[in-house]
Amino acid sequence: MRQDLIWRLESVAFAGFIGLMRLIGLEAASNLGGWLLRTLGPRVSTHRIVMRNLRIAFPDMSVAERARLAIDQWEQTGRTFAETAVMDQLTPASGRIDIVGADRLEAIRRSGKPVVFVAGHMANIETMAAVLVASGVPVQVTYRAANNPYVDAQIRAARARYGVKLFAPKGGDGARELLAGMGRGESVALMNDQKFSEGPEVSFFGHPVNAAPGPTRLALRFGTVILPLSVVRLPGVRFRVTAHEPIEVASTGDRQADIKRGVQAITTFIEDRVREHPVDWFWVHRRWPDRVYAALESDRSASSRA
């Protein structure tokens, strides 16, 4: 009962936040969210994770430049969080999203065959889902449910306002839904840039990471391609969403090797996008394994003693 009460109070606060963002409108909400996290983000403990990640990814970047990038990415995160409340005002129909590669999406829609969409946590990831919905491609969007079920219901309702209705939660039940959906000809959309300890080890910014094999396994199982998506934030609360050249996963008979090649191809694609627009990536999670962070601190200690 105590937990339920806490969840309900959190839900009321979250509903108030959504109400305020919708009241002040898209641009004001984005500006407010950006200002809040740009101000508060550098003062929380997570900022240390951001700085460590930037040192791992960009060892040759100056300290001052990494510090500026860390603050700028907080603003991006704040903007995205606030914009989620008003995503129905941020769709292709709003004129705020430029779409590159729309012909690829149209070809998928016409074919009636499923593909596996993949992306990284760049800029406002909800815009990619909005583009897929507008394209007419039937697609299941995977998501990680919020711990608070009442807040989770509000998040799902916010997404439903701009048309996302086919959800597949991460985990066992979600995996079964994805398989069933692809069997019906529905595509799936998955994020593939976060730590997944059980996945194969591949290279990301020259360091080992473990990445989820799910998208590659699905592509192999259904004999289809992986279609990478990316999003870039533009000035004036505008975005550019790109449907890139598909990744074809060869089936050689060595299933584990085939999966690893597919996972590496996706990870390389994401690294390339982060290098192009580093401010857009979600730097606040521990992407690399513990040993990479330990080596980073060891190198730092050695440098300080030299």
Side-chain angles (χ1 to χ4, degrees):
M1 289 181 64
R2 181 174 181 273
Q3 180 62 73
D4 187 71
L5 177 60
I6 292 172
W7 278 342
R8 289 181 182 276
L9 291 174
E10 290 174 346
S11 175
V12 169
F14 188 70
F17 163 78
I18 290 180
L20 175 61
M21 295 301 101
R22 295 186 66 78
L23 178 65
I24 65 179
L26 175 61
E27 292 203 15
S30 180
N31 291 338
L32 177 59
W35 175 80
L36 279 173
L37 277 201
R38 186 180 184 90
T39 302
L40 300 176
R43 297 175 178 159
V44 301
S45 60
T46 306
H47 191 69
R48 290 196 293 272
I49 296 175
V50 174
M51 294 304 298
R52 289 169 185 159
N53 286 340
L54 289 172
R55 284 175 57 206
I56 292 170
F58 302 115
D60 298 328
M61 185 181 287
S62 71
V63 174
E65 191 174 357
R66 284 199 297 262
R68 286 193 297 270
L69 179 54
I71 293 174
D72 290 344
Q73 68 84 38
W74 277 118
E75 179 177 335
Q76 290 278 47
T77 302
R79 285 182 177 276
T80 297
F81 181 66
E83 289 160 0
T84 300
V86 285
M87 270 302 302
D88 53 319
Q89 301 173 34
L90 190 52
T91 64
S94 71
R96 291 181 178 271
I97 301 178
D98 300 334
I99 304 173
V100 179
D103 55 326
R104 291 194 175 108
L105 300 179
E106 174 60 17
I108 294 168
R109 186 191 67 79
R110 288 199 310 267
S111 75
K113 297 178 180 178
V115 302
V116 180
F117 293 103
V118 295
H121 288 77
M122 302 286 292
N124 186 332
I125 62 174
E126 300 288 340
T127 58
M128 291 185 286
V131 166
L132 291 179
V133 168
S135 74
V137 176
V139 56
Q140 293 198 63
V141 178
T142 58
Y143 81 108
R144 186 182 300 281
N147 292 333
N148 183 325
Y150 304 113
V151 169
D152 187 63
Q154 292 183 60
I155 293 172
R156 287 172 63 100
R159 285 173 170 159
R161 277 197 291 270
Y162 71 89
V164 178
K165 296 177 182 177
L166 292 176
F167 291 103
K170 291 186 177 182
D173 290 342
R176 285 187 285 274
E177 290 179 25
L178 292 180
L179 290 171
M182 291 195 75
R184 295 191 298 268
E186 297 167 1
S187 296
V188 298
L190 304 99
M191 309 304 291
N192 206 199
D193 61 339
Q194 292 190 307
K195 186 175 181 180
F196 187 81
S197 300
E198 294 79 19
E201 185 174 281
V202 293
S203 177
F204 186 55
F205 283 92
H207 297 278
V209 295
N210 297 97
T216 304
R217 285 177 173 169
L218 287 171
L220 285 168
R221 176 163 181 165
F222 288 91
T224 188
V225 298
I226 296 170
L227 201 297
L229 301 174
S230 68
V231 57
V232 175
R233 183 179 291 275
L234 304 174
V237 196
R238 295 181 60 251
F239 299 86
R240 181 173 65 249
V241 173
T242 302
H244 293 263
E245 190 77 23
I247 297 171
E248 296 189 11
V249 185
S251 180
T252 67
D254 186 340
R255 183 170 176 78
Q256 293 309 310
D258 294 342
I259 290 173
K260 184 167 183 176
R261 278 194 296 272
V263 173
Q264 181 64 74
I266 296 169
T267 303
T268 299
F269 165 81
I270 292 170
E271 178 180 332
D272 290 344
R273 304 290 80 74
V274 176
R275 288 187 182 277
E276 289 173 355
H277 298 279
V279 73
D280 282 333
W281 198 47
F282 194 63
W283 290 96
V284 302
H285 69 286
R286 290 175 60 93
R287 179 64 187 94
W288 286 270
D290 292 343
R291 66 182 187 275
V292 174
Y293 292 102
L296 180 73
E297 294 308 311
S298 177
D299 291 344
R300 185 174 186 177
S301 298
S303 298
S304 66
R305 291 194 300 269

